Amino acid sequence: MLAPVARRTGQRLLKFDRKLGVRLVAGADEAGRGPLAGPLVVAGVLLDYECLRDHRVRPLAFLNDSKQCTPPQREELFRAVVGCAEKVVVRVIPPGEIDRSGLHRSNLAGLRAMLHALSPPAEACLVDGFKLGPTAPPHRAVVDGDEKSAAIAAASIVAKVVRDRYMRRADALYPAYGFRSHVGYITPEHSAVVRRRGPSEIHRRSFQALCYLG
């Protein structure tokens, strides 16, 4: 069971979106900007606030920024989002594409793709932090949006859960790197094994990190 504080957070996030005064709100966010290994995952979630009333909205009462949740809480919220959302879209951007195009460019392109996939019918498009340029649908960049907007927080949950599941599967293919525990982020143990064995196929070669240095 999620903590009561998450219930209050969920209600506040939903209130932010409802104040936009439209029925269909899209949110986009990503997971995996900082890791040394693994993909960047971008997600978009469309919420229909005409339908999200009474019992239909109750599972989202516990919604929170993915960074504020434990892994079991994120899995529970993932199921809630999938059950409540009008539409959920995801793109997994592999390390090779990140190396070719650059992390920031890959991220912006992914977020634009998520909003295009949801708009129309979305009447308001929200993204966590980044202006996406004129080729994106009309949108609002919300600083710390995953702490303010239900649609963005829902996208952050989806992106994080999808990426963590990917990295747990990768752990079976590359068991020496410990992906199950750190999901590709830099830790002393991760750095040590990369220096000792070299990077795996899913490490980002464009990531200039000291742990690549032997």
Side-chain angles (χ1 to χ4, degrees), residues 12-32:
R12 176 173 56 80
L13 296 171
L14 291 159
K15 184 177 180 180
F16 179 94
D17 287 6
R18 290 189 188 279
K19 283 185 176 181
L20 298 173
V22 299
R23 173 176 176 173
L24 294 163
V25 180
D29 200 6
E30 85 286 323

Side-chain angles (χ1 to χ4, degrees), residues 87-145:
K87 188 174 182 180
V88 176
V89 290
V90 176
R91 174 175 288 186
V92 178
I93 302 172
E97 184 174 339
I98 295 170
D99 289 340
R100 289 189 299 272
S101 301
L103 176 63
H104 188 59
R105 183 177 295 178
S106 298
N107 187 35
L108 296 186
L111 292 170
R112 281 193 293 267
M114 295 302 93
L115 295 188
H116 277 298
L118 299 175
S119 177
E123 300 166 273
C125 292
L126 306 176
V127 65
D128 185 25
F130 298 104
K131 280 287 188 182
L132 303 180
T135 61
H139 61 284
R140 175 180 171 185
V142 182
V143 177
D144 296 326

Side-chain angles (χ1 to χ4, degrees), residues 142-174:
V142 182
V143 177
D144 296 326
D146 46 8
E147 300 176 5
K148 298 175 181 176
S149 158
I152 297 176
S156 81
I157 291 289
V158 171
K160 177 62 174 168
V161 169
V162 169
R163 189 180 187 281
D164 284 359
R165 290 177 178 178
Y166 178 104
M167 295 305 295
R168 287 195 296 270
R169 290 193 295 270
D171 184 73
L173 297 174
Y174 308 99

